[in-house]
Amino acid sequence: QVQVVESGGGLVQAGGSLRLSCTASGLTVAGYAMGWFRQAPGKEREVVSCISWSGLTTFYADSVKGRFTISRDSAKNTMYLQMNSLKPEDTAMYYCATGATTEHIKLKRLDNQWGQGTQVIVSS
């Protein structure tokens, strides 16, 4: 099964930036999509953004549009999330996911085991 490792989280002041990274391993098929989820204390895990294998198709939750940018290096099985203009409400554990398409990811039809996640804390 696909395994993912997230990194890049940290503590930042509101308005600041962070760049998250995710590397996937154990993949046996090409052409998979990747995405980011986040889970704040007491809330459900929600999709933040996802990107197709080619990078031509992307999705952003309304709450992060215009502030976050997703990208990937498919040759390295690595995905990134550039987070700018961070807000306290972005505070959460961020998790990486893989799936057949971006639609699969949005529906949580995932190929991977959840990783440890990377914590993002935005102070006001």
Side-chain angles (χ1 to χ4, degrees), residues 87-109:
K87 304 175 181 180
E89 49 263 45
D90 295 317
T91 295
M93 188 70 80
Y94 283 71
Y95 298 91
C96 173
T98 64
T101 68
T102 54
E103 292 304 310
H104 282 74
I105 291 177
K106 286 190 282 183
L107 293 172
K108 294 185 180 179
R109 292 170 60 185

Side-chain angles (χ1 to χ4, degrees), residues 5-109:
V5 177
E6 304 93 341
S7 64
L11 172 63
V12 63
Q13 289 187 332
S17 299
L18 284 173
R19 188 192 193 211
L20 306 185
S21 299
C22 167
T23 299
S25 62
L27 291 152
T28 59
V29 295
Y32 58 93
M34 298 184 77
W36 289 97
F37 286 76
R38 68 185 181 186
Q39 187 169 19
K43 295 188 177 181
E44 292 189 357
R45 194 167 298 186
E46 61 176 1
V47 62
V48 174
S49 181
C50 48
I51 186 169
S52 62
W53 167 260
S54 67
L56 296 179
T57 300
T58 58
F59 166 82
Y60 295 94
D62 288 343
S63 58
V64 307
K65 279 181 182 177
R67 300 187 298 121
F68 290 10
T69 303
I70 193 170
S71 61
R72 67 184 294 173
D73 183 341
S74 294
K76 297 181 179 179
N77 289 343
T78 301
M79 172 182 64
Y80 308 96
L81 187 68
Q82 178 66 43
M83 306 187 296
N84 298 328
S85 302
L86 282 161
K87 304 175 181 180
E89 49 263 45
D90 295 317
T91 295
M93 188 70 80
Y94 283 71
Y95 298 91
C96 173
T98 64
T101 68
T102 54
E103 292 304 310
H104 282 74
I105 291 177
K106 286 190 282 183
L107 293 172
K108 294 185 180 179
R109 292 170 60 185

